């Protein structure tokens, strides 16, 4: 379809995974970023033993191999939060969160350029419909922070496109008739939706504003599903909900921090360790607190979060899954049922369903008018989520895109449209 290479690339900086796309003749728009794969997990590991920094799968592998150091994940969650102007301690020195963000975006740019065998100074970045719900000022600040970070690492010109619209442009490359499509992008940090008219003829237009009927989003994503599954299905094994001798509950903050990717390290301070010694002495179920103390002493929080994430993924296809928790205690395993997962995350699914219903109402469209629901995003496979969206749109056919690559590929299409060929 394309006879020339694009001048600009598309960058999908995701909460869990990131991709880069670049249109050129005769090949896939997605660039290989790690070990021949198009996705680069949005992970940084600071290896204390080798005084090195690594990214993506390599970062996760070094961490899981037991190297001492600091693992950082869900970096996108920093955007729009109060944490962005703070700092954290890494290998004995203070690391501003803005610098952490720049390190990852810079690595993403470098790998895209190495894969394409050319430099990129112009990019269309994807962004969620809302970085921050119900706070336009914080939302603007989040986009400005991402733009400033991109410029700081060498992108001279930066623009943005909503992630579900980018996915729509990718889907449009493969259709042969006009469709009214709901794009459902359920990512690691947000759930974003767009109603778009798509067709082969419309794809040739330079201006598509009239084809975009409505956008909506909510700050619910895969990491939230992980968190609530962890709190309901795993943290009680470590003492959540257990009692002290005075019959009050063990403070829940330790468990909430462990269940949330970007706050796991909050539990690793000397202050928290001393607090937990006091809690332990007063705990009625010290065997459970033993497990919590082991996780914190050996800094196994990210490992545990990965096990929860894998359990969530497994429950998309199975009614139950067994978690091997041998790092907490030798031989420890735990069965989690899909029913537990669905009960734990019901309120999250309610929020997503409400967002889709509001989108239809804002667009003034009856549900029966929607031809297709196009699912993308790594968390769009959650069965309960799909059932609830299908119930809202019973006449629409469900199409599954590249769960991790549709947005990056669509941003590459948008980059060609905005900035033209080389």
């Amino acid at each position: 379809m394309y006879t020339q290479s694009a001048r600009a690339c598309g960058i999908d900086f995701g909460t869990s995974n990131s991709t880069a796309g670049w249109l050129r003749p005769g090949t896939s728009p997605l660039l290989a970023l790690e070990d021949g794969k198009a996705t680069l997990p949005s992970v940084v590991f600071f290896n204390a033993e080798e005084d090195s920094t690594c990214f993506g799968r390599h970062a996760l592998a070094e961490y899981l191999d037991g190297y001492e150091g600091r693992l950082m994940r869900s970096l996108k969650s920093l955007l729009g939060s109060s944490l962005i102007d703070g700092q954290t301690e890494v290998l004995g020195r203070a690391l501003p969160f803005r610098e952490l963000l720049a390190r990852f975006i810079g690595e993403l740019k470098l790998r895209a350029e190495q894969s394409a065998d050319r430099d990129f100074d112009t990019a269309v970045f994807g962004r969620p419909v809302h970085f921050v719900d119900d706070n336009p000022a914080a939302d603007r600040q989040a986009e400005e922070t991402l733009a400033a970070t991109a410029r700081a690492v060498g992108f001279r010109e930066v623009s943005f496109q909503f992630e579900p619209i980018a996915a729509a442009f990718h889907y449009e490359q493969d259709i042969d008739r006009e469709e009214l499509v709901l794009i459902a992008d359920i990512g690691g940090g947000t759930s974003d939706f767009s109603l778009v008219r798509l067709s082969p003829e419309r794809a040739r237009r330079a201006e598509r504003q009239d084809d975009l009927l409505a956008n909506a989003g909510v700050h619910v994503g895969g990491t939230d599903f992980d968190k609530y599954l962890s709190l309901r299905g795993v943290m009680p094994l470590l003492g959540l909900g257990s009692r002290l001798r005075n019959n009050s509950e063990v403070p829940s903050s330790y468990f909430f921090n462990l269940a949330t990717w970007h706050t796991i390290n909050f539990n690793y301070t000397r202050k928290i360790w001393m607090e937990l010694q006091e809690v332990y002495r007063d705990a009625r179920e010290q065997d459970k607190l033993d497990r919590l103390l082991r996780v914190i002493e050996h800094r196994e929080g990210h490992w545990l979060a990965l096990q929860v994430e894998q359990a969530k993924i497994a429950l998309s296809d199975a009614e139950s899954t067994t978690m091997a928790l041998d790092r907490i205690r030798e031989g420890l395993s735990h069965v989690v049922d899909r029913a537990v997962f669905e009960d734990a995350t019901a309120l999250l699914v309610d929020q997503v369903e409400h967002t889709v219903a509001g989108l239809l109402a804002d667009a003034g469209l009856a549900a029966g008018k929607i031809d297709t629901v196009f699912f993308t995003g790594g968390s769009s496979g959650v069965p309960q989520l799909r059932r609830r969206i299908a119930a809202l749109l019973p006449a629409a056919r469900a199409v599954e895109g590249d769960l991790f690559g549709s947005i990056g590929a669509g941003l590459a299409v948008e980059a060609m449209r905005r900035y033209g060929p080389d």
Side-chain angles (χ1 to χ4, degrees):
M1 181 178 179
Y2 297 97
T3 59
Q4 294 177 280
S5 296
R7 180 169 75 87
C9 66
I11 298 290
D12 175 25
F13 169 46
T15 301
S16 300
N17 291 278
S18 296
T19 61
W22 175 50
L23 288 187
R24 68 273 199 209
T27 188
S28 164
L30 291 176
L31 294 165
L33 299 181
E34 185 179 23
D35 300 332
K37 296 179 175 63
T39 55
L40 178 68
S42 303
V43 182
V44 183
F45 181 61
F46 298 94
N47 189 319
E49 295 181 40
E50 299 187 356
D51 193 23
S52 61
T53 304
C54 54
F55 303 84
R57 293 172 187 81
H58 186 195
L60 286 170
E62 286 201 0
Y63 171 76
L64 293 175
D65 283 344
Y67 283 94
E68 285 293 322
R70 181 78 183 272
L71 186 77
M72 306 292 287
R73 195 179 175 191
S74 294
L75 310 179
K76 190 175 180 179
S77 301
L78 295 167
L79 294 169
S81 80
S82 58
L83 288 175
I84 191 64
D85 291 316
Q87 60 187 28
T88 188
E89 183 179 320
V90 174
L91 307 187
R93 77 173 189 88
L95 176 69
F97 283 120
R98 288 179 184 270
E99 182 182 331
L100 173 64
L101 205 61
R103 287 198 189 191
F104 185 81
I105 298 294
E107 183 70 16
L108 191 54
K109 179 178 187 290
L110 174 64
R111 292 186 184 216
E113 292 173 338
Q114 289 174 338
S115 183
D117 194 26
R118 56 155 293 165
D119 293 337
F120 290 115
D121 67 359
T122 305
V124 179
F125 273 71
R127 58 150 293 166
V129 174
H130 302 299
F131 280 107
V132 183
D133 293 340
D134 303 319
N135 190 334
D139 190 78
R140 283 194 303 274
Q141 184 61 48
E143 182 179 295
E144 289 168 5
T145 298
L146 183 53
T149 302
R151 287 191 291 268
V153 301
F155 286 111
R156 181 179 54 81
E157 188 170 356
V158 177
S159 61
F160 291 90
Q161 179 58 276
F162 289 135
E163 290 158 357
I165 292 175
F169 292 156
H170 173 59
Y171 172 64
E172 191 174 46
Q173 307 300 298
D174 296 321
I175 63 176
D176 58 9
R177 62 182 177 84
E178 181 166 304
E179 297 181 22
L180 180 54
V181 182
L182 173 69
I183 306 295
D185 170 26
I186 318 296
T190 59
S191 295
D192 293 308
F193 303 92
S194 291
L195 276 171
V196 194
R197 292 193 188 278
L198 303 174
S199 73
E201 294 73 29
R202 292 174 186 272
R204 292 191 284 270
R205 298 177 182 176
E207 178 53 57
R208 301 297 302 275
Q209 192 62 40
D210 290 344
D211 297 335
L212 310 178
L213 306 185
N215 291 306
V218 62
H219 209 264
V220 171
T223 56
D224 299 292
F225 284 91
D226 294 345
K227 174 181 177 177
Y228 281 85
L229 175 58
S230 181
L231 290 171
R232 178 68 63 84
V234 178
M235 290 301 155
L237 296 174
L238 277 62
L240 177 62
S242 64
R243 298 280 173 176
L244 302 175
R245 289 175 184 169
N246 64 5
N247 205 37
S248 63
E249 283 194 2
V250 171
S252 63
S253 58
Y254 312 118
F255 306 101
F256 275 79
N257 283 340
L258 275 182
T260 307
W261 273 103
H262 61 278
T263 60
I264 289 171
N265 288 296
F266 291 2
N267 274 351
Y268 297 157
T269 66
R270 180 173 177 78
K271 177 177 180 292
I272 294 297
W273 183 251
M274 298 304 292
E275 284 180 14
L276 282 170
Q277 306 309 305
E278 294 290 332
V279 171
Y280 181 81
R281 280 191 284 271
D282 287 338
R284 289 183 177 179
E285 298 179 83
Q286 291 186 336
D287 57 327
K288 293 181 178 180
L289 271 295
D290 280 330
R291 298 167 184 167
L292 175 63
L293 290 171
R294 180 173 175 81
V295 168
I296 292 175
E297 181 181 10
H298 295 279
R299 302 199 171 198
E300 298 286 14
H302 290 93
W303 171 83
L304 182 57
L306 285 168
Q307 308 317 301
V308 173
E309 182 183 40
Q310 290 304 310
K312 175 195 69 176
I313 293 168
L315 290 171
S316 292
D317 298 314
E319 291 298 323
S320 66
T321 187
T322 300
M323 300 177 65
L325 302 175
D326 49 291
R327 289 200 187 186
I328 297 176
R329 193 191 73 199
E330 185 176 353
L332 179 65
S333 63
H334 181 59
V335 176
V336 181
D337 296 328
R338 183 187 288 179
V340 171
F341 174 55
E342 293 192 345
D343 185 58
T345 57
L347 290 177
L348 299 177
V349 176
D350 287 347
Q351 291 180 60
V352 173
E353 180 184 41
H354 179 75
T355 301
V356 175
L359 177 70
L360 294 173
D362 290 345
L365 284 171
K369 297 290 187 182
I370 310 301
D371 299 304
T372 305
V373 182
F374 180 75
F375 287 100
T376 188
S379 298
S380 65
V382 174
Q384 183 178 208
L385 203 56
R386 290 208 176 193
R387 288 199 306 271
R388 296 281 280 276
I389 292 175
L392 284 175
L393 305 168
R397 69 188 185 109
V399 174
E400 184 170 293
D402 181 338
L403 296 187
F404 299 103
S406 292
I407 294 171
L411 291 170
V413 173
E414 183 71 351
M416 175 69 92
R417 180 179 288 122
R418 289 187 186 183
Y419 299 109
D422 234 350

